[in-house]
Amino acid sequence: MDNKVALGVDIGGTNTVYGLIDAKGAIYQQGEIPTNSTQPVDHLVSRLYESTTKYLAKNGALEMIGIGIGAPNANHKTGMIDSPPNLDWESFDIRAAFGDYFNQKTFVTNDANAAALGEKNYGIAKDMDDFVEITLGTGLGSGVFSGGALVYGYSGFAGEVGHVSIDPNGRKCKCGKRGCLESYASATGVKNTILEFLEDDPQDLLLNQLNSGNINGAIIDSEYDKGNKTARKIYQYTGQKLGIGLAQVAAILSPEAFIFYGGFSNAGTRLLKYAKISMEEQLLECQKNTIRLLPSGLPQGKAGILGAASLVWEY
Amino acid sequence: MDNKVALGVDIGGTNTVYGLIDAKGAIYQQGEIPTNSTQPVDHLVSRLYESTTKYLAKNGALEMIGIGIGAPNANHKTGMIDSPPNLDWESFDIRAAFGDYFNQKTFVTNDANAAALGEKNYGIAKDMDDFVEITLGTGLGSGVFSGGALVYGYSGFAGEVGHVSIDPNGRKCKCGKRGCLESYASATGVKNTILEFLEDDPQDLLLNQLNSGNINGAIIDSEYDKGNKTARKIYQYTGQKLGIGLAQVAAILSPEAFIFYGGFSNAGTRLLKYAKISMEEQLLECQKNTIRLLPSGLPQGKAGILGAASLVWEY
């Protein structure tokens, strides 16, 4: 047993997941608390401090040696969170906020990069040097590995695959551009697709059911499995758009695999088989049949804290 | 004086440039011979062998310790050239062809990667870890550096920025896809632009002059400098398309700079100022004003051999 642990923190819009994790990825303490971003960040930090300090006091053999944080719009290079979507905080130095309070060496990255790190260190990408982790949720995030290392880019903002445009006349994205992959292949994108489909087919039962509440991937999945044609049409359309975006990314990076994580990725092959067909159509001849589309090898909700904690071990 | 030299070879459709180069980038022997790809590759190899052996015999202090080759469609990982465009050779193992004949350790990469390596080791990218070298010639090639290392990808075919599509309904590219950046921003692309402009304006003098022969960038440049509106329109249109493609690449890689090399890059700021405006319009908020567009810091024709030779030194 390794007695050194890192605190991995995955900050989400609603909840924050955290865990004390050793270098091999064994999780000693795991918890989930409301993020409460209407309060100053110290409110979150102090609650995490209390919880982990209590646990460590009871488990005297364990020693915390650092903190890794994954959060939306967090920048590895600067330690800042920049006006995160779905959080009420403005831009601030989240690395200092945690590091000073805990008096621990602290590392920061964005949530999709944390998932990619988790996949590389503890998931199905262990033996891959070149892959792209795609997180499908409300939006589409991504973390890129190239030559065995995470790609941060000069500004620290690399890996914005969700904002690769697949159509200059396409849907208006919240970023201001048109045709961003995220505006098709994400829960938000599927919501837009359902609204568009409803214009052509206002009586469709499934479309009306889906439109009446939050987009529920589980309902689409179960209708798809029963042979519902509308469910199939939704995944066909979404997968086709996703494939076009993946081929764009592949032209630049030529990865071994695109790996899908996050709530909306539970669709699995229902979505990915259409994405694969579409991607292969768009790939350069020399890249055809070299790239796999795979579901994540990590349990839902754990990639973030595992990856965030691994920032400490990598250091 | 370092007495160890590497043979750097830059194989082009018409001519092959080669040089004996030391680790600091000093070029001892430099030559250019016809590639003659209608003959088997050994014909080229034996001519290079004869020339360099003669030079080394006269300069007994120099010792060749390896060969680096840059060539179209050459794959660093496999050592193969795959059906190179503008060359009559089929797919074959170019690493073995040179390595066996010279009895030297031999390394291979594609021509745009060689230019990127040259820029990193001896050009303006010395202090950059994240940049994209764009070679503007007949086509648009690219070599990508991320985190200080060249991006090869899993298949070895990464860095095909010329085949990022900027419009799914755009121009048909020779690769089979539509809207590839290369079909707008390259000598071939400009030729297509001129044909399109001629449809709207069949009497335009400059368009007719350019259409009557090979596209001559120097003529467009000089007319641009005299204030010719058609010349400006050509660079405006081409730069605007180029900027859209660069923003796509930037979303994924967030580089410090795009660096332009190759015959068509002599247009310099005439083209790049329009590309910059267009790129900035398309960039994500967090990436705006973080990326420079720069002309290469290497003399025309030398990036290839310097970069190819540096493969030996990197090893």
Side-chain angles (χ1 to χ4, degrees), chain B residues 234-256:
Chain B
I234 291 170
Y235 281 145
Q236 247 174 344
Y237 181 85
T238 307
Q240 195 249 336
K241 299 293 187 186
L242 179 57
I244 296 172
L246 299 182
Q248 296 273 66
V249 178
I252 300 168
L253 296 171
S254 200
E256 179 170 359

Tab-separated table of all heavy atoms in Angstrom, chain B residues 234-256:
chain	number	residue	atom	x	y	z
B	234	ILE	N	-7.616	39.185	-55.298
B	234	ILE	CA	-7.109	37.798	-55.244
B	234	ILE	C	-6.567	37.488	-53.847
B	234	ILE	O	-6.889	36.455	-53.249
B	234	ILE	CB	-5.999	37.577	-56.305
B	234	ILE	CG1	-6.595	37.626	-57.713
B	234	ILE	CG2	-5.284	36.239	-56.065
B	234	ILE	CD1	-5.543	37.652	-58.828
B	235	TYR	N	-5.760	38.396	-53.294
B	235	TYR	CA	-5.177	38.129	-51.974
B	235	TYR	C	-6.215	38.262	-50.854
B	235	TYR	O	-6.147	37.554	-49.842
B	235	TYR	CB	-3.977	39.038	-51.718
B	235	TYR	CG	-2.719	38.546	-52.413
B	235	TYR	CD1	-1.792	39.434	-52.939
B	235	TYR	CD2	-2.466	37.180	-52.537
B	235	TYR	CE1	-0.642	38.977	-53.578
B	235	TYR	CE2	-1.320	36.726	-53.188
B	235	TYR	CZ	-0.417	37.624	-53.701
B	235	TYR	OH	0.711	37.161	-54.320
B	236	GLN	N	-7.167	39.185	-51.057
B	236	GLN	CA	-8.244	39.312	-50.074
B	236	GLN	C	-9.039	38.007	-49.966
B	236	GLN	O	-9.269	37.493	-48.873
B	236	GLN	CB	-9.206	40.422	-50.509
B	236	GLN	CG	-9.202	41.607	-49.595
B	236	GLN	CD	-10.063	42.756	-50.130
B	236	GLN	OE1	-10.429	42.791	-51.300
B	236	GLN	NE2	-10.344	43.708	-49.276
B	237	TYR	N	-9.431	37.504	-51.106
B	237	TYR	CA	-10.239	36.280	-51.162
B	237	TYR	C	-9.443	35.098	-50.603
B	237	TYR	O	-9.924	34.347	-49.752
B	237	TYR	CB	-10.648	36.013	-52.613
B	237	TYR	CG	-11.500	34.781	-52.789
B	237	TYR	CD1	-12.883	34.841	-52.610
B	237	TYR	CD2	-10.933	33.559	-53.150
B	237	TYR	CE1	-13.679	33.719	-52.775
B	237	TYR	CE2	-11.718	32.434	-53.316
B	237	TYR	CZ	-13.089	32.515	-53.130
B	237	TYR	OH	-13.863	31.393	-53.296
B	238	THR	N	-8.194	34.953	-51.059
B	238	THR	CA	-7.367	33.821	-50.634
B	238	THR	C	-7.051	33.912	-49.142
B	238	THR	O	-7.119	32.919	-48.415
B	238	THR	CB	-6.049	33.799	-51.450
B	238	THR	OG1	-6.377	33.837	-52.844
B	238	THR	CG2	-5.229	32.557	-51.153
B	239	GLY	N	-6.733	35.120	-48.685
B	239	GLY	CA	-6.426	35.324	-47.271
B	239	GLY	C	-7.631	35.052	-46.386
B	239	GLY	O	-7.509	34.470	-45.300
B	240	GLN	N	-8.786	35.447	-46.856
B	240	GLN	CA	-10.004	35.231	-46.074
B	240	GLN	C	-10.247	33.727	-45.887
B	240	GLN	O	-10.528	33.255	-44.779
B	240	GLN	CB	-11.183	35.895	-46.789
B	240	GLN	CG	-12.427	36.053	-45.924
B	240	GLN	CD	-13.558	35.155	-46.396
B	240	GLN	OE1	-13.612	34.761	-47.555
B	240	GLN	NE2	-14.454	34.826	-45.489
B	241	LYS	N	-10.097	32.965	-46.951
B	241	LYS	CA	-10.274	31.507	-46.868
B	241	LYS	C	-9.200	30.881	-45.976
B	241	LYS	O	-9.468	30.007	-45.158
B	241	LYS	CB	-10.209	30.876	-48.271
B	241	LYS	CG	-11.279	31.353	-49.232
B	241	LYS	CD	-12.654	30.907	-48.797
B	241	LYS	CE	-13.704	31.242	-49.856
B	241	LYS	NZ	-15.073	30.947	-49.390
B	242	LEU	N	-7.956	31.341	-46.167
B	242	LEU	CA	-6.846	30.828	-45.360
B	242	LEU	C	-7.116	31.045	-43.875
B	242	LEU	O	-6.938	30.143	-43.049
B	242	LEU	CB	-5.546	31.527	-45.792
B	242	LEU	CG	-4.260	31.163	-45.059
B	242	LEU	CD1	-3.971	29.664	-45.123
B	242	LEU	CD2	-3.064	31.938	-45.635
B	243	GLY	N	-7.608	32.234	-43.531
B	243	GLY	CA	-7.884	32.564	-42.129
B	243	GLY	C	-8.924	31.646	-41.511
B	243	GLY	O	-8.812	31.265	-40.338
B	244	ILE	N	-9.936	31.287	-42.283
B	244	ILE	CA	-10.964	30.370	-41.769
B	244	ILE	C	-10.331	29.018	-41.428
B	244	ILE	O	-10.583	28.444	-40.364
B	244	ILE	CB	-12.092	30.170	-42.809
B	244	ILE	CG1	-12.835	31.492	-43.050
B	244	ILE	CG2	-13.072	29.090	-42.352
B	244	ILE	CD1	-13.833	31.438	-44.208
B	245	GLY	N	-9.478	28.535	-42.313
B	245	GLY	CA	-8.806	27.254	-42.063
B	245	GLY	C	-7.879	27.327	-40.856
B	245	GLY	O	-7.840	26.411	-40.032
B	246	LEU	N	-7.142	28.431	-40.741
B	246	LEU	CA	-6.211	28.570	-39.611
B	246	LEU	C	-6.972	28.573	-38.285
B	246	LEU	O	-6.516	27.993	-37.296
B	246	LEU	CB	-5.383	29.849	-39.748
B	246	LEU	CG	-4.479	29.965	-40.985
B	246	LEU	CD1	-3.693	31.272	-40.948
B	246	LEU	CD2	-3.526	28.773	-41.099
B	247	ALA	N	-8.144	29.216	-38.267
B	247	ALA	CA	-8.940	29.247	-37.031
B	247	ALA	C	-9.408	27.838	-36.657
B	247	ALA	O	-9.467	27.492	-35.467
B	247	ALA	CB	-10.131	30.187	-37.183
B	248	GLN	N	-9.716	27.016	-37.656
B	248	GLN	CA	-10.111	25.626	-37.381
B	248	GLN	C	-8.949	24.888	-36.687
B	248	GLN	O	-9.134	24.176	-35.704
B	248	GLN	CB	-10.414	24.881	-38.691
B	248	GLN	CG	-11.590	25.402	-39.473
B	248	GLN	CD	-12.889	24.760	-39.012
B	248	GLN	OE1	-13.316	24.972	-37.881
B	248	GLN	NE2	-13.505	24.002	-39.874
B	249	VAL	N	-7.771	25.070	-37.260
B	249	VAL	CA	-6.583	24.413	-36.707
B	249	VAL	C	-6.294	24.944	-35.304
B	249	VAL	O	-5.965	24.187	-34.383
B	249	VAL	CB	-5.362	24.636	-37.628
B	249	VAL	CG1	-4.114	24.007	-37.046
B	249	VAL	CG2	-5.642	24.081	-39.020
B	250	ALA	N	-6.467	26.248	-35.132
B	250	ALA	CA	-6.181	26.881	-33.842
B	250	ALA	C	-7.109	26.359	-32.745
B	250	ALA	O	-6.688	26.217	-31.591
B	250	ALA	CB	-6.315	28.400	-33.963
B	251	ALA	N	-8.360	26.071	-33.090
B	251	ALA	CA	-9.293	25.551	-32.082
B	251	ALA	C	-8.747	24.258	-31.473
B	251	ALA	O	-8.919	24.001	-30.282
B	251	ALA	CB	-10.667	25.302	-32.699
B	252	ILE	N	-8.060	23.482	-32.265
B	252	ILE	CA	-7.528	22.199	-31.791
B	252	ILE	C	-6.153	22.361	-31.156
B	252	ILE	O	-5.867	21.772	-30.117
B	252	ILE	CB	-7.446	21.196	-32.964
B	252	ILE	CG1	-8.848	20.982	-33.548
B	252	ILE	CG2	-6.837	19.871	-32.517
B	252	ILE	CD1	-8.859	20.250	-34.862
B	253	LEU	N	-5.277	23.180	-31.760
B	253	LEU	CA	-3.870	23.198	-31.356
B	253	LEU	C	-3.436	24.442	-30.581
B	253	LEU	O	-2.429	24.405	-29.882
B	253	LEU	CB	-2.969	23.084	-32.594
B	253	LEU	CG	-3.062	21.784	-33.384
B	253	LEU	CD1	-2.276	21.911	-34.680
B	253	LEU	CD2	-2.542	20.608	-32.551
B	254	SER	N	-4.150	25.547	-30.749
B	254	SER	CA	-3.795	26.793	-30.076
B	254	SER	C	-2.292	27.100	-30.168
B	254	SER	O	-1.611	27.239	-29.161
B	254	SER	CB	-4.224	26.697	-28.604
B	254	SER	OG	-4.340	27.954	-28.024
B	255	PRO	N	-1.759	27.224	-31.380
B	255	PRO	CA	-0.313	27.428	-31.530
B	255	PRO	C	0.107	28.865	-31.209
B	255	PRO	O	-0.731	29.767	-31.165
B	255	PRO	CB	-0.076	27.144	-33.017
B	255	PRO	CG	-1.350	27.556	-33.678
B	255	PRO	CD	-2.449	27.221	-32.685
B	256	GLU	N	1.407	29.043	-30.999
B	256	GLU	CA	1.948	30.395	-30.807
B	256	GLU	C	1.987	31.139	-32.142
B	256	GLU	O	1.800	32.351	-32.185
B	256	GLU	CB	3.369	30.292	-30.232
B	256	GLU	CG	4.037	31.631	-30.024
B	256	GLU	CD	5.345	31.509	-29.236
B	256	GLU	OE1	5.716	30.382	-28.837
B	256	GLU	OE2	6.000	32.546	-29.030
